Amino acid sequence: MTLVKIEKLKIHFDTDEGQLLALDDVSFNVDQGEILGIAGESGSGKSITAKSLMQLNDENAIYDQNSRVLYENQNLLELDDEKMIPYRGKIFSMVFQEPMASFAPAIRIGDQMIEQLQIHEQLSDEAARQRSIEALTSVGIPNAKNLIDQYSYEFSGGMRQRAMIAMALSTNPKLLIADEPTTALDVTIQAQIINLIKKEVQDRNMGVIFITHDLALLAQTADRILIMYMGKIVESGTVYQVLTNPQHPYTKALIESSPNIENFQKKLLPIGGEVPLLKDRPQGCVFQNRCSQFINNKCDKESPLIKEIEDNHFISCHLHHE
Amino acid sequence: MSSFIKVNNLDVQYSRGRRSLFEKEEFFKAVDNVNLSINKGKIVGLVGESGSGKSTLGRALLGAKEFHHGSIHYNFEEGSIDLSNLSKKNLRDFRSKVQLIFQDPYNSLSPRMTVRDIIAEPLEALGMTKSKSETDNRVIEIAQKCQLNINHLNRFPHSFSGGQRQRISIARSLIAQPEFIVADESVAALDVSIQAGILQLLKSIQNEMGLTIMFISHDLSVISNFCDEVAVMYLGKIVEYAPKNEIFLTPKHPYTQALLNAVPSINPHKKNIQKTLEGEIPSIYDRPQGCVFQSRCSKVTDQCRQNEPSLKKFHNHEVACINLDD
């Protein structure tokens, strides 16, 4: 069942250099009980997409009139700050990359958890504290009863990320947005956190948007994947379709450039050139300057449309026409 | 052939300060009794979790962190150097032969210096050139080698992307023609499509100049692709050291095995990270007696809690574990 529907999400940022297009007609759904992976390099717009759901983008973000973020037939982009409160921590919850930066350093972890619970639910201090202890215990923090009164700097990186997840889940959200939740962690701790998130998704039947630059991590977690480049979705499909039968030249190149521990003799092929700056967004296809299959007079003129090349497998590229 | 770098029984300590005015200063070991020999022209990967002592070991090798016990020997082309007794003059010579490439291409370049000045600094600091024009020529030569646009050398770092900055950083570390380089997480901050290009560049320069590189990284897939040999560290100790193929195809130490199992596979048909190491690396202040890995090891025995295993030769590997079987 569809949980959230994003339609034609288009965002400009108002800067000294003019209004720059950061997201261009991004549309997708997240279903209940599904992990949707969003992958792309720095500046591809993955985090901006996720923040749009909670309207957490910087003040200078301008949402296009036709953009819609639909939850239970309500377009969230029409809501003011007050009406957005339930979507910032209760119905939608978020886990950030930097567990060090996402807890206030001078407030006890428990007090931060209790505060956010009481914003979203009518709970006494004691009940909120109890809920928080349960949440910490359920993510594998031993002795949560005592640790809840500690400060975030007293926790290791892995523990901090567990606490962050506990806090995000304590309100029983319908959708969890995880933005590079394991990037700052060691691989063994990353594996623990990933398994924790997968278990929670199953137990609660919630939806997850999992943002990362690491395709292998998505291969192990996601049900479906969106590949983003310069604010556009260039390919989407099931994890099997996108990673074992990639069709967009960018997706292919991204896989070719990734080192792979199971095939360590493989020659890594860098993608030539660099992502253009937002102010130099090209006319036509956004990937044209780095694409090995660039078609003169086509890719630099027209923006490719999104086509379905097999069941639920979409790409946006001129190489594919019916 | 004797090895290029030989490290014997190396300890590096940090001070924890004193608890009170009347107590002694406390120390803890970040690197504990490390033995390592590195052959010339090899790329040695150094891998381990945060807090395992990788960077400290790298810095000790460069003479940038003083060590408290043991020895570090270099066999340079112009003669050998013993790091434990080095005169001021020899230290200068030594510094021209070893270099460091940092992780962060944003903070490691001075924003107030032009790219030309950044790259030229080691030459000038070490007094290796006689005239400005000689310096300029060397800068242009190395910049070309690092695939930098030589018409942009008068610009400042802020006008370059992350990948370009890392090329500047590499050019700076190569200009004094070192024989040994420590690359500490040097590609960790880059996107994969750019990272592949930097690795390619490092490899071709390493080949051409016959460099020896210690490549410190937490990313096993990068190590598996880039290195010739791999040393695995845990809590200040090297627990396994072997040629790359051996490490990745037949890991021997339980920690190496667990580490490899935690690396996600890019093949979605092969779900692989479910079985994972529990717990976390212990604090360096509570180094256990016996084997450092005992608290997380699935094969732990009473013996492991009493006797500290040392690195022993085992099927082309050097492994520090008492429970090895074929």
Side-chain angles (χ1 to χ4, degrees):
Chain A
M1 207 186 76
T2 301
L3 192 63
V4 191
K5 199 171 170 61
I6 282 86
E7 284 180 356
K8 296 197 169 158
L9 188 58
K10 189 174 200 167
I11 297 179
H12 286 84
F13 281 100
D14 194 12
T15 70
D16 296 343
E17 290 168 321
Q19 291 195 358
L20 305 178
L21 183 61
L23 275 194
D24 191 10
D25 273 346
V26 167
S27 304
F28 62 92
N29 300 336
V30 190
D31 290 346
Q32 237 170 27
E34 166 187 62
I35 302 185
L36 175 75
I38 304 183
E41 298 179 271
S42 337
S44 60
K46 7 183 233 309
S47 294
I48 296 173
T49 305
K51 284 186 190 159
S52 306
L53 270 71
M54 303 168 109
Q55 287 188 48
L56 287 179
N57 279 310
D58 292 344
E59 298 267 299
N60 62 346
I62 305 165
Y63 295 83
D64 189 77
Q65 308 179 7
N66 297 323
S67 300
R68 278 141 62 95
V69 174
L70 294 165
Y71 179 81
E72 292 184 338
N73 297 320
Q74 170 69 54
N75 180 8
L76 304 188
L77 295 178
E78 291 167 352
L79 302 181
D80 58 23
D81 270 355
E82 186 142 346
K83 294 219 172 81
M84 273 306 288
I85 290 174
Y87 299 96
R88 293 175 175 162
K90 168 77 184 149
I91 300 171
F92 300 168
S93 238
M94 190 152 178
V95 177
F96 301 91
Q97 170 173 356
E98 285 289 333
M100 196 67 196
S102 24
F103 278 110
I107 305 174
R108 294 172 201 277
I109 292 218
D111 291 344
Q112 299 185 52
M113 295 182 74
I114 291 164
E115 181 191 2
Q116 66 107 27
L117 263 174
Q118 288 181 329
I119 289 174
H120 296 296
E121 291 179 40
Q122 299 282 334
L123 285 175
S124 68
D125 290 357
E126 194 41 49
R129 187 181 164 86
Q130 213 46 47
R131 271 268 288 279
S132 301
I133 292 173
E134 280 163 28
L136 288 171
T137 310
S138 76
V139 297
I141 291 187
N143 196 10
K145 233 176 163 162
N146 297 327
L147 291 184
I148 191 169
D149 290 322
Q150 292 202 313
Y151 295 93
S152 63
Y153 65 82
E154 298 177 278
F155 278 33
S156 67
M159 292 266 277
R160 244 180 259 135
Q161 205 56 309
R162 278 175 196 268
M164 189 78 221
I165 292 172
M167 179 153 138
L169 295 179
S170 64
T171 52
N172 288 315
K174 298 279 186 267
L175 177 76
L176 178 72
I177 301 170
D179 191 353
E180 304 265 11
T182 60
T183 305
L185 305 176
D186 286 312
V187 278
T188 58
I189 309 300
Q190 163 171 286
Q192 295 172 1
I193 297 291
I194 292 301
N195 290 328
L196 172 67
I197 291 178
K198 280 164 92 169
K199 177 178 162 288
E200 293 293 340
V201 174
Q202 254 182 7
D203 292 355
R204 296 160 185 263
N205 199 27
M206 63 181 177
V208 176
I209 296 180
F210 192 105
I211 298 170
T212 176
H213 64 283
D214 185 346
L215 291 175
L217 200 51
L218 289 185
Q220 296 301 320
T221 51
D223 300 301
R224 281 191 305 133
I225 297 187
L226 314 175
I227 305 283
M228 292 192 71
Y229 189 84
M230 277 202 90
K232 273 183 114 62
I233 297 176
V234 295
E235 180 158 4
S236 68
T238 66
V239 64
Y240 302 102
Q241 287 169 334
V242 174
L243 293 182
T244 58
N245 183 26
Q247 292 299 314
H248 195 283
Y250 176 61
T251 315
K252 289 185 192 173
L254 205 53
I255 294 173
E256 293 290 323
S257 69
S258 307
N260 178 353
I261 196 165
E262 287 153 356
N263 178 13
F264 52 75
Q265 309 290 13
K266 122 177 175 182
K267 195 165 163 22
L268 302 185
L269 300 173
I271 307 180
E274 291 181 351
V275 185
L277 298 173
L278 281 188
K279 67 179 170 62
D280 305 324
R281 173 179 281 274
Q283 198 194 353
C285 173
V286 283
F287 189 56
Q288 55 178 285
N289 67 320
R290 304 175 78 190
C291 185
S292 59
Q293 288 163 285
F294 172 75
I295 308 166
N296 208 355
N297 258 330
K298 180 99 181 163
C299 300
D300 50 352
K301 295 275 164 15
E302 301 162 36
S303 211
L305 300 173
I306 295 172
K307 280 163 240 139
E308 185 164 13
I309 50 172
E310 57 179 321
D311 252 8
N312 293 316
H313 188 179
F314 299 88
I315 71 163
S316 154
C317 177
H318 287 306
L319 289 171
H320 282 261
H321 26 188
E322 268 63 31
Chain B
M1 194 187 88
S2 68
S3 43
F4 174 54
I5 305 175
K6 187 110 187 81
V7 178
N8 281 322
N9 306 103
L10 187 75
D11 283 358
V12 184
Q13 299 178 339
Y14 284 96
S15 166
R16 224 190 146 175
R18 338 168 171 253
R19 287 197 191 172
S20 81
L21 199 58
F22 307 103
E23 281 179 50
K24 269 196 182 158
E25 199 176 358
E26 287 179 54
F27 291 94
F28 65 89
K29 286 183 187 172
V31 170
D32 184 12
N33 197 15
V34 161
N35 291 290
L36 184 69
S37 51
I38 298 176
N39 288 331
K40 191 153 178 67
K42 293 285 182 203
I43 304 181
V44 177
L46 188 58
V47 69
E49 294 176 85
S50 350
S52 60
K54 320 186 279 294
S55 294
T56 304
L57 177 57
R59 264 146 230 251
L61 288 182
L62 294 175
K65 173 79 191 115
E66 94 188 85
F67 52 93
H68 303 80
H69 185 255
S71 66
I72 303 175
H73 265 280
Y74 280 86
N75 280 313
F76 291 116
E77 274 167 19
E78 293 158 21
S80 61
I81 280 182
D82 180 355
L83 261 194
S84 31
N85 50 29
L86 211 52
S87 65
K88 266 234 164 82
K89 183 190 165 297
N90 287 341
L91 185 64
R92 205 187 178 91
D93 281 349
F94 171 71
R95 290 254 155 92
S96 71
K97 298 205 164 50
V98 299
Q99 283 291 333
L100 176 66
I101 306 174
F102 294 92
Q103 167 173 3
D104 186 341
Y106 292 86
N107 292 327
S108 59
L109 304 178
S110 165
R112 289 159 188 264
M113 288 168 79
T114 64
V115 171
R116 183 260 171 212
D117 291 345
I118 289 172
I119 298 178
E121 200 176 18
L123 282 188
E124 283 159 1
L126 295 162
M128 292 176 78
T129 48
K130 292 189 187 67
S131 65
K132 187 173 170 295
S133 67
E134 190 189 344
T135 308
D136 281 338
N137 289 338
R138 292 274 293 270
V139 170
I140 288 172
E141 187 192 344
I142 200 74
Q144 277 172 332
K145 218 176 243 177
C146 295
Q147 294 150 20
L148 287 163
N149 185 336
I150 54 166
N151 296 320
H152 295 167
L153 292 179
N154 285 322
R155 298 188 181 179
F156 291 90
H158 68 82
S159 54
F160 292 84
S161 67
Q164 294 289 339
R165 283 173 199 233
Q166 209 53 314
R167 286 175 198 275
I168 296 169
S169 204
I170 292 172
R172 173 176 62 185
S173 71
L174 292 176
I175 196 160
Q177 296 188 311
E179 292 182 41
F180 178 60
I181 283 190
V182 173
D184 193 351
E185 299 280 8
S186 302
V187 297
L190 305 173
D191 279 318
V192 281
S193 71
I194 304 298
Q195 167 182 292
I198 297 292
L199 291 175
Q200 219 172 50
L201 173 72
L202 269 177
K203 192 116 184 175
S204 76
I205 290 176
Q206 183 261 343
N207 248 325
E208 192 187 317
M209 299 174 64
L211 278 173
T212 309
I213 299 181
M214 172 169 270
F215 188 82
I216 300 175
S217 176
H218 68 284
D219 187 334
L220 283 143
S221 38
V222 173
I223 294 245
S224 78
N225 197 281
F226 186 65
C227 300
D228 302 313
E229 282 160 6
V230 182
V232 181
M233 277 190 91
Y234 191 83
L235 216 59
K237 287 200 167 289
I238 291 181
V239 296
E240 184 163 2
Y241 182 40
K244 168 172 81 180
N245 291 1
E246 299 279 336
I247 287 276
F248 288 100
L249 297 175
T250 55
K252 301 292 184 205
H253 195 284
Y255 178 60
T256 314
Q257 292 167 352
L259 210 52
L260 294 183
N261 282 336
V263 180
S265 161
I266 198 165
N267 180 358
H269 292 286
K270 191 182 154 197
K271 300 285 182 223
N272 74 331
I273 57 172
Q274 283 106 333
K275 260 185 66 192
T276 146
L277 205 55
E278 283 174 23
E280 296 181 9
I281 192 165
S283 158
I284 207 126
Y285 305 136
D286 334 306
R287 179 184 293 285
Q289 198 198 348
C291 173
V292 281
F293 188 53
Q294 56 180 278
S295 61
R296 301 168 84 189
C297 185
S298 58
K299 294 181 182 166
V300 65
T301 63
D302 280 346
Q303 279 244 311
C304 304
R305 299 199 177 90
Q306 275 143 31
N307 302 321
E308 193 178 308
S310 55
L311 274 181
K312 293 231 165 62
K313 200 97 185 146
F314 185 77
H315 296 268
N316 279 332
H317 295 236
E318 285 179 57
V319 201
C321 178
I322 52 174
N323 291 325
L324 292 172
D325 41 42
D326 293 273

